[in-house]
Amino acid sequence: MATTPRSRNTLTLYSAKNCVVCHKVRMVMAAKGITYDLISVDTANPPEDLLMLAPHYHSVPTLVERDNAIYISNVIAEYLDERYPHPALMPAEPIFRAMHRIAVRQVEQDWVPQVQAIMAGGKNVEAARKRLKELILESLPFFKSNKFFFGNEMSLVDCAITPIIWRLPALGIQLPKDAKCVEDYGLRIFRNPAFMRSMTPEEKGLRELAFS
Ligand SMILES: N[C@@H](CCC(=O)N[C@@H](CS)C(=O)NCC(=O)O)C(=O)O
């Protein structure tokens, strides 16, 4: 994953040091064992090459493969799942694929803005904490009944959700005792070496791991 001038990797990922959507893409790459060059971006001061590669949408994550820049985290995640099919992170059946896409979209539209509002600080933090907690608690049946969010196989939905669960203590969110299944779900994935590989040093520092 190291960036070196002599790297033979064909993929480069522009990514921020602590960002749930970048973390989602790094999780997909780690789950599939994809090697790539990582360029750490300060989003307040994006590098010139990122501005040139994705002039209309110079956000992170942005994936570059040869001369092509691919952006929007969900587009990157699905691209990687098609380009590197093993292990598959989407089911084969169209109806289940649609269900996965809905869940990933809900995390992006409802959960991620709360995380970003908490990280931004200011007067909206408490409302964002309350809303994120509600959203997680509304999903308890999924955390409770399966090894992963949608069954026994890890999917893109888990890659979207787990970076948020990892950050809960750092975001100042404590779930009630009857939501222990959420932490148990997280621990099942956190214990996987691929999850550790998906994180930047800054993200690793967001939580003290207490594996039981
Ligand atoms: N919908 C985009 C959102 C990505 C996003 O919010 N990225 C933030 C960093 S966490 C960013 O790059 N902000 C700076 C900018 O948009 O110029 C995606 O899923 O990729």
Side-chain angles (χ1 to χ4, degrees):
M1 214 163 88
T3 306
T4 71
R6 278 176 290 163
S7 167
R8 287 169 187 269
N9 292 327
T10 57
L11 293 177
T12 302
L13 182 70
Y14 289 79
S15 158
K17 287 179 183 167
N18 176 10
C19 161
V20 273
V21 284
C22 298
H23 191 176
K24 169 177 62 184
V25 169
R26 285 186 258 109
M27 256 190 92
V28 173
M29 296 180 102
K32 290 174 178 286
I34 302 169
T35 56
Y36 59 101
D37 293 334
L38 182 72
I39 297 188
S40 186
V41 170
D42 170 5
T43 51
N45 190 18
E48 199 61 37
D49 50 348
L50 179 61
L51 299 178
M52 278 166 61
L53 285 159
H56 305 297
Y57 205 95
H58 41 79
S59 63
V60 288
T62 290
L63 180 74
V64 178
E65 184 172 27
R66 296 193 178 84
D67 294 334
N68 298 307
I70 305 164
Y71 33 86
I72 307 173
S73 59
N74 293 339
V75 175
I76 302 173
E78 286 209 29
Y79 170 72
L80 291 170
D81 200 40
E82 289 169 4
R83 170 92 166 74
Y84 301 89
H86 304 291
L89 293 175
M90 283 280 271
E93 299 82 357
I95 185 65
F96 294 129
R97 291 175 78 82
M99 295 301 139
H100 278 66
R101 289 191 178 109
I102 290 170
V104 167
R105 183 67 70 90
Q106 284 174 337
V107 173
E108 180 196 3
Q109 290 186 342
D110 301 338
W111 299 35
V112 169
Q114 312 311 325
V115 173
Q116 291 174 334
I118 299 167
M119 288 174 70
K123 61 177 173 40
N124 298 327
V125 167
E126 272 318 311
R129 280 197 183 114
K130 182 170 174 289
R131 183 67 191 128
L132 182 56
K133 199 164 161 176
E134 282 167 6
L135 288 162
I136 294 170
L137 295 179
E138 281 167 17
S139 300
L140 277 194
F142 292 95
F143 289 110
K144 239 177 218 149
S145 52
N146 299 307
K147 182 173 177 197
F148 295 105
F149 197 78
F150 270 160
N152 284 323
E153 305 295 336
M154 189 165 114
S155 74
L156 294 184
V157 182
D158 301 294
C159 295
I161 288 178
T162 317
I164 298 176
I165 304 302
W166 175 260
R167 285 164 170 77
L168 290 181
L171 295 170
I173 293 182
Q174 201 173 9
L175 297 176
K177 282 205 174 72
D178 62 355
K180 185 176 170 295
C181 57
V182 178
E183 190 63 13
D184 293 344
Y185 160 89
L187 284 174
R188 284 195 290 277
I189 299 178
F190 303 158
R191 284 195 184 104
N192 188 320
F195 181 77
M196 281 295 148
R197 283 202 308 276
S198 74
M199 284 192 287
T200 64
E202 289 76 10
E203 289 166 342
K204 282 183 186 157
L206 293 175
R207 133 171 346 221
E208 293 283 324
L209 260 191
F211 289 137
S212 51

